Structures are given as C-alpha cells and as structure tokens.
Amino acid sequence: RKEVEQDPGPFNVPEGATVAFNCTYSNSASQSFFWYRQDCRKEPKLLMSVYSSGNEDGRFTAQLNRASQYISLLIRDSKLSDSATYLCVVNGPDKIIFGKGTRLHILP
Amino acid sequence: GAVVSQHPSWVICKSGTSVKIECRSLDFQATTMFWYRQFPKQSLMLMATSNEGSKATYEQGVEKDKFLINHASLTLSTLTVTSAHPEDSSFYICSADVGAMVEMNTEAFFGQGTRLTVV
C-alpha cells in the first residue's frame, strides 16, 4: 500500500459545482495532515490544515478520519480559479509525504 | 509566515555540467530542510532530508554522489546536481523545517522552486 494515495483525476467539473477529494494514508502514526494547492510550474501553497474535528474555510471543508486513515477536501460553489492540482500531505512520524495530487479543471 | 528563498528559479545547463541550487530560510533558523523533485504531471518526490551540520539522509533510489547536499548553516542548504544529464531535468523544490516541524505539526514552507533543464 502506498504511503499516501489520491485519485489522480483529472476532475472536470462545471463552475458552481461541488467537488470532493479523498486521500488515504498508510501509517497510523502520522501526526498531522494538510491540503496544498499547486498551480502549474509553481510551488505548493498551503490550502488548509486538517483536523479530526473538521475545519471549514469559506467554500473549503477538510475532514480527517483517523480510524479509517483518510482525509477529505470539499470545495463548494467551485470557481474557475480553483483549477489546480490539490496535494494531500501527511506529516510524520519522521518525514513529510505528498500524495501524487488530484488535478481539478473547472469548466466555464 | 516563514519565508524560504530558493535560487535560481530556473536554469539551463549543458549535459555533463554541475548545477547548484540554494535554499535559504530568511527569517528563521532551519535545522532541517527537505529537497523534492517533481517531474511533469507528477507529485513531489522527497529526495533527501538535509540536516544542519550532519550528513543528509537520502531516500531510496536517489544517488547521493550525484545529488550533493550541503547544510553548513542554519539558514542555508544547497543541492548540487553533478554531471547533469537530460533525465535530471525537473522541478526541484526545497522546504524548511520550522522548529522541528514534523513534531510540531506545522505546515511546510517552500522555496519557489528551480526549474532545471539539461540540454
């Protein structure tokens, strides 16, 4: 089983739709979790930290399920500017591991 | 947030030459820095973990003699791609450990990345 797995996509969704990403991780000792956004040819930028209690930031909601070892990201009312690659990042116990990323294309 | 500066942002070099990439933490001391490589349409792959004052830890499959890492100070880590070949063309990104980041559950801070093209 890969350390961090994501559906590579691409997800092609119309503007205004809701889109959900999932990510699974294999090491139960992992300590913290993040979603990063990466635009083409740019460095990844933090989108959200992910907590067991769930957290929301505007149109974005992240959730962590430690028992099932998966992380989710929900984007509501998607915008054209949301088009990017979304990387699931798992931190610890001794290194930072990136998922392969899920490409999202928002269609006008 | 913490600032990590990576230089150069892009470089083109001839096959067989060496290229040095610098990663600096501008407003904090980074005891650990991570070096990643990203091929087109793929995710970031950890190459090595750079520890200040000690040898870097390389991931399986990464040639330590080809990718030389030096972390001589708490604010600077360098990656040197030696005898570069076209297959080394990639996007290289560093990220810095902000105070034992892995333990403190804080986000990773990234340099801007270096796009290396070997011709």
Side-chain angles (χ1 to χ4, degrees), chain A residues 59-84:
Chain A
R59 297 182 294 110
F60 299 86
T61 301
Q63 194 79 43
L64 164 66
N65 185 318
R66 283 192 182 271
S68 301
Q69 295 181 202
Y70 82 80
I71 308 143
S72 64
L73 175 68
L74 187 75
I75 306 176
R76 291 180 299 278
D77 187 24
S78 54
K79 313 288 185 190
L80 293 176
S81 56
D82 294 332
S83 296

Side-chain angles (χ1 to χ4, degrees), chain A residues 31-32 34 36 38 41-44 46 87 91-96 98-100, chain B residues 34 36 38 43-44 46 59 91 93 101-103 105-108 110-112 115:
Chain A
Q31 297 165 316
S32 57
F34 306 91
Y36 277 75
Q38 186 175 26
R41 295 175 174 258
K42 296 288 183 64
E43 75 276 20
L46 180 67
L87 301 167
N91 207 353
D94 57 0
K95 58 185 177 182
I96 308 167
F98 287 83
K100 289 189 177 298
Chain B
F34 302 94
Y36 296 86
Q38 186 177 36
S43 182
L44 297 168
L46 181 64
E59 295 298 300
F91 192 50
I93 303 180
M101 167 176 57
V102 172
E103 297 172 8
N105 300 332
T106 57
E107 66 184 270
F110 289 90
Q112 300 91 330
R115 184 158 301 282

Side-chain angles (χ1 to χ4, degrees), chain B residues 28-95:
Chain B
F28 66 98
Q29 293 181 330
T31 55
T32 302
M33 287 188 179
F34 302 94
W35 285 97
Y36 296 86
R37 178 169 53 184
Q38 186 177 36
F39 292 107
K41 299 189 177 184
Q42 296 186 26
S43 182
L44 297 168
M45 296 298 296
L46 181 64
M47 298 176 65
T49 302
S50 166
N51 300 297
E52 187 269 336
S54 64
K55 291 183 178 180
T57 303
Y58 290 82
E59 295 298 300
Q60 190 174 10
V62 178
E63 301 174 58
K64 59 182 179 182
D65 294 330
K66 179 171 182 62
F67 299 99
L68 301 179
I69 291 175
N70 184 285
H71 195 158
S73 77
L74 287 170
T75 59
L76 174 64
S77 176
T78 60
L79 168 67
T80 301
V81 183
T82 63
S83 186
H85 291 285
E87 57 265 31
D88 298 323
S89 298
S90 185
F91 192 50
Y92 293 85
I93 303 180
C94 66
S95 79

Side-chain angles (χ1 to χ4, degrees), chain A residues 6-107:
Chain A
Q6 287 182 254
D7 184 336
F11 287 20
N12 299 307
V13 301
E15 191 175 8
T18 296
V19 60
F21 303 135
N22 290 318
C23 170
T24 59
Y25 61 97
S26 61
N27 192 334
S28 59
S30 299
Q31 297 165 316
S32 57
F33 311 88
F34 306 91
W35 284 101
Y36 277 75
R37 170 192 169 131
Q38 186 175 26
D39 293 291
C40 188
R41 295 175 174 258
K42 296 288 183 64
E43 75 276 20
K45 293 186 184 297
L46 180 67
L47 180 64
M48 304 181 71
S49 301
V50 189
Y51 306 113
S52 297
S53 56
N55 50 308
E56 186 174 316
D57 182 3
R59 297 182 294 110
F60 299 86
T61 301
Q63 194 79 43
L64 164 66
N65 185 318
R66 283 192 182 271
S68 301
Q69 295 181 202
Y70 82 80
I71 308 143
S72 64
L73 175 68
L74 187 75
I75 306 176
R76 291 180 299 278
D77 187 24
S78 54
K79 313 288 185 190
L80 293 176
S81 56
D82 294 332
S83 296
T85 296
Y86 291 82
L87 301 167
C88 168
V89 179
V90 175
N91 207 353
D94 57 0
K95 58 185 177 182
I96 308 167
I97 305 168
F98 287 83
K100 289 189 177 298
T102 300
R103 284 176 290 143
L104 174 64
H105 299 303
I106 303 300
L107 307 173

